[in-house]
Amino acid sequence: DDDGISTFANYPAARKLAGSRDGQYLLVGPWPHATNTRCVIPGVDFGPEETIDFEGYVLDWLDMALDVDPSRFGARGRARVFLMGANEWRDFADWPPPGVSEGSLFLASGGRANSLLGDGSLDPQPPKAGAESDAFVYDPDDPTPYLYDAGTLQVGGPFDARPVERRDDVLCYTTPPLREPLTLCGRVFAELFVASSAADTEFCAKLCDVHGNGVARQLCDGNVRLALRNSLAKKEPVAPGEVARVRIDLWATGIVIPAGHRLRLEVASAAVPKFAAHTNTLADPGSAAEAVVAHNRVFHDARRPSRVVLPILAEKA
């Protein structure tokens, strides 16, 4: 959901602040903005376990929290999370789940990662000296779109991203088909080394699950405005052409990706209408009177190893 970050940020913060009143639990389902309702995107089916007795879950928790009948809630884990792909609920002792390790896939290309037809790839090995960078043109008058359901105004969801990935202002980096299933459960980040010809710009990243038939299901995404890369309270402009490191929070996902599927990272400079189109100036978005075209670049060499950081959950044999 497009409000999901509040759940993933509030739970660990609440536990940290609770002290002796540490009684927080986390419930994450595969739902749209309307909690505990079925996904209605064509081609997506999370199975009969998608919806639950939500009110019963809450009442059982209240019986425990108010010491009415703690046995009703039982010895459940702190985090109950639906894993897409497997289409089943998992109970974890905490969030992020214990046993999750940080995995990295590094961006690589021959200098032409533009669109899903380009040569961008994701590699578990860090880049070597002499690797290429990738460039694209971001025009605020023709911003990169973001898929959404116009009927429900649902922003985000497992839409097929290929219509967006066909644009040259979208860099695409894709793994080979997975040899084994891969379980992701937790926060996802893109760490990129970037530069722009403009006084300011934006960088957006999106992780997709690419099926054998080519369908690229959106999993999670996020954005960073370059001058606000370190703090939303203070602008720190980057000189045109200067390389800066940005860490884009893609929020979180929980999914079992089967063997034969691929992972894809998109990089662009807009996601309209999810985010307002950046004007490539230092003017505040609400008062910007003009826009300029930006020539943006992503580096992936030995000194500037751009990567996507994944929460890999080791599954028991």
Side-chain angles (χ1 to χ4, degrees):
D1 181 31
D2 46 294
D3 290 335
I5 191 60
S6 58
T7 299
F8 301 122
N10 285 347
Y11 170 75
R15 289 207 66 189
K16 182 178 180 180
L17 295 172
S20 61
R21 298 183 295 115
D22 182 12
Q24 289 72 32
Y25 288 77
L26 179 73
L27 179 67
V28 182
W31 307 314
H33 191 69
T35 301
N36 199 36
T37 56
R38 292 189 62 83
C39 177
V40 293
I41 297 173
V44 177
D45 184 359
F46 292 128
E49 300 298 319
E50 178 180 2
T51 57
I52 62 173
D53 179 10
F54 183 77
E55 290 76 13
Y57 183 94
V58 173
L59 289 172
D60 289 348
W61 180 83
L62 285 170
D63 281 344
M64 177 193 65
L66 300 176
D67 200 24
V68 175
D69 184 1
S71 66
R72 292 179 62 87
F73 197 74
R76 303 188 188 187
R78 285 300 182 97
R80 184 165 174 76
V81 179
F82 188 91
L83 281 187
M84 301 177 292
N87 289 351
E88 63 185 22
W89 291 90
R90 299 280 185 91
D91 287 291
F92 299 107
D94 203 354
W95 174 271
V100 167
S101 60
E102 179 182 289
S104 294
L105 291 174
F106 295 91
L107 280 59
S109 79
R112 183 65 184 174
N114 308 75
S115 85
L116 58 79
L117 303 177
D119 64 0
S121 63
L122 290 175
D123 194 326
Q125 300 302 318
K128 299 179 180 179
E132 298 284 348
S133 61
D134 293 296
F136 62 96
V137 177
Y138 163 51
D139 183 354
D141 289 332
D142 181 24
T144 312
Y146 187 89
L147 299 173
Y148 72 104
D149 186 336
T152 64
L153 297 182
Q154 175 67 39
V155 182
F159 299 104
D160 183 358
R162 286 180 296 176
V164 173
E165 292 173 348
R166 291 189 176 97
R167 293 172 58 109
D168 278 348
D169 59 357
V170 180
L171 304 180
C172 294
Y173 302 90
T174 311
T175 67
L178 300 180
R179 295 182 178 180
E180 299 177 348
L182 176 67
T183 302
L184 304 178
C185 191
R187 301 291 294 275
V188 180
F189 298 90
E191 296 179 352
L192 307 177
F193 291 86
V194 299
S196 177
S197 65
D200 193 25
T201 193
E202 185 163 9
F203 285 93
C204 307
K206 182 193 301 172
L207 185 67
C208 296
D209 169 20
V210 183
H211 295 224
N213 61 1
V215 170
R217 295 290 181 195
Q218 300 180 172
L219 296 180
C220 53
D221 63 279
N223 73 314
V224 164
R225 298 204 164 197
L226 191 55
L228 299 176
R229 66 196 179 282
N230 296 321
S231 170
L232 295 178
K234 179 183 178 182
K235 291 181 181 178
E236 299 177 59
V238 178
E242 180 181 335
V243 179
R245 176 182 175 274
V246 298
R247 181 175 170 88
I248 305 176
D249 187 345
L250 275 63
W251 295 10
T253 192
I255 186 170
V256 178
I257 300 176
H261 283 213
R262 297 173 290 161
L263 284 176
R264 175 174 295 150
L265 182 74
E266 296 177 22
V267 179
S269 284
V272 177
K274 183 172 185 177
F275 307 119
H278 200 298
T279 61
N280 297 324
T281 69
L282 287 167
D284 293 330
S287 59
E290 61 179 0
V292 299
V293 172
H295 296 263
N296 294 340
R297 187 172 293 273
V298 176
F299 298 84
H300 42 75
D301 53 45
R303 292 188 301 111
R304 297 165 293 197
S306 295
R307 63 174 182 155
V308 57
V309 182
L310 301 173
I312 298 176
L313 178 64
E315 296 281 23
K316 296 180 180 179

